[in-house]
Amino acid sequence: MPPTTTTAPAPETAATAPAPARPVRRTRRRISPGRILAWTVMIILLAITLFPFLWILRTALSSNDALYAEAASLVPADFSLGGFERVFGMQSTEEAIAQGGSGASIDFWRYLINTIVVATGITACQVFFSAMAAYAFSRLHWRGRNLVFSVFLLSLMVPIIFTLLPNFLLIRDLGLIDTLLGIMLPNMFMTPFAIFFLRQFFLNVPVEVEEAALLDGAGKIRVFFTLIIPMSAGPIATVAILTYITAWNDYMWPLMVSYTDASRVLTVALGNFTEQSPQTGPDWAGLMAATLVAALPMLLLFMAFARRIVSSIGFSGIK
């Protein structure tokens, strides 16, 4: 058996040798006057937006007596948690009056539960029915579909004030005055904005996916629940968040139909809290504390889902 010979690898020449890695140079962005102006405008707008919330927090953490003496101070005047204590019912009547409060009790937790029930019920029903209507306008073919959809869009131009009296008469005839269902009923079904928003997204869903499901024997209802709804989780969540925030902040309609604590929501309770101010002056610390507590859940909710809301609106074609 002839001996095997091994050949040593040829040394790398200059042509075949790998070139040394060059350091990557980071290009520095030039600071142009336009960029400076844009950042300046953004900072000013951000300060204008955040200043009211900071002022509310400063007032809520101040004492009523010190607010008038240090009206221009940007920090809490005579730091006190008395406003929050009055909101949560942790002060006696004598203590509340001594700190500039009205002495009236505010059943904050009852109002909070009523608000959660109303906002949740409106959101769940409105999103569900709006999604069904949007699917009918985008996927089902029936005579007069475009005409009916145009009528829905025209209803966006009708001011809400025009619908308050007819809705009130309807709720009164149904015997739902001063009930949570009476507050929810006019807004429980669908809104033109939610239908338009979801319809724009449903139109972007590939038709081939739906046709394949129909060929496999699925009906329209099954396609809607098992195909369209899971694929539209993002836009549906966006509509739900916007609807929840709107229902939480609604004031005029709950004020018209709720008269007792059994159906009173937070926004109406804050208005009553203002009217119960003592003769010496409004209980600014208590009012700002109640406003901050009522608005904080919606602020956190919007901050948590702001990016999803913006991306869903852009994808749905709303400019």
Side-chain angles (χ1 to χ4, degrees):
M1 182 176 181
T4 58
T5 58
T6 58
T7 60
E12 294 181 350
T13 62
T16 58
R22 296 182 179 179
V24 179
R25 294 183 178 179
R26 296 183 178 179
T27 59
R28 298 179 59 183
R29 295 182 178 180
R30 294 186 303 172
I31 302 178
S32 61
R35 186 179 298 274
I36 296 176
L37 178 61
W39 276 104
T40 304
V41 173
M42 290 293 295
I43 292 174
I44 294 175
L45 293 177
L46 183 62
I48 294 175
T49 304
L50 294 181
F51 181 76
F53 298 102
L54 297 177
W55 191 261
I56 290 175
L57 179 61
R58 171 258 181 192
T59 307
L61 296 175
S62 301
S63 173
N64 283 320
D65 297 332
L67 281 174
Y68 296 98
E70 304 179 23
S73 176
L74 296 178
V75 297
D78 189 12
F79 181 85
S80 173
L81 295 176
F84 292 96
E85 292 176 355
R86 289 192 292 278
V87 169
F88 293 111
M90 300 171 61
Q91 281 187 350
S92 62
T93 304
E94 293 76 11
E95 292 175 343
I97 295 176
Q99 293 189 9
S102 62
S105 60
I106 174 173
D107 197 350
F108 177 81
W109 298 111
R110 175 187 288 271
Y111 303 146
L112 179 63
I113 293 174
N114 290 344
T115 306
I116 293 175
V117 171
V118 169
T120 304
I122 290 176
T123 301
C125 295
Q126 189 178 128
V127 171
F128 176 71
F129 291 119
S130 296
M132 294 181 64
Y135 179 73
F137 283 125
S138 61
R139 293 301 191 184
L140 303 183
H141 299 280
W142 41 281
R143 182 176 299 177
R145 183 187 66 174
N146 295 332
L147 178 61
V148 175
F149 181 68
S150 300
V151 173
F152 267 92
L153 291 184
L154 288 176
S155 63
L156 287 171
M157 303 175 62
V158 179
I160 298 178
I161 193 67
F162 289 168
T163 63
L164 290 179
L165 182 58
N167 287 335
F168 179 81
L169 296 177
L170 176 62
I171 297 301
R172 185 198 62 182
D173 294 341
L174 294 176
L176 297 177
I177 294 293
D178 200 21
T179 62
L180 295 180
L181 183 59
I183 299 176
M184 293 186 292
L185 191 59
N187 300 315
M188 284 183 65
F189 293 100
M190 60 187 71
T191 60
F193 170 77
I195 295 175
F196 173 73
F197 184 89
L198 294 177
R199 175 183 176 272
Q200 293 301 107
F201 182 83
F202 291 166
L203 290 175
N204 294 323
V205 176
V207 181
E208 293 77 11
V209 177
E210 184 178 0
E211 292 177 348
L214 294 175
L215 290 176
D216 291 339
K220 290 290 185 179
I221 298 178
R222 185 177 178 182
V223 168
F224 174 73
F225 284 103
T226 61
L227 185 64
I228 301 297
I229 293 297
M231 295 179 64
S232 310
I236 289 177
T238 300
V239 172
I241 294 170
L242 296 177
T243 304
Y244 197 90
I245 294 176
T246 303
W248 185 282
N249 295 329
D250 192 14
Y251 174 75
M252 184 61 68
W253 175 248
L255 178 64
M256 292 182 61
V257 297
S258 63
Y259 305 120
T260 62
D261 290 344
S263 63
R264 190 164 290 155
V265 295
L266 271 176
T267 52
V268 179
L270 291 179
N272 293 342
F273 187 79
T274 306
E275 296 175 359
Q276 295 171 352
S277 299
Q279 297 180 356
T280 56
D283 181 9
W284 291 116
L287 178 60
M288 292 299 104
T291 303
L292 184 62
V293 173
L296 187 60
M298 295 300 98
L299 291 175
L300 297 177
L301 183 66
F302 185 80
M303 290 172 60
F305 295 96
R307 180 173 298 180
R308 169 169 289 186
I309 292 174
V310 173
S311 61
S312 297
I313 290 176
F315 185 79
S316 298
I318 302 177
K319 304 298 183 182

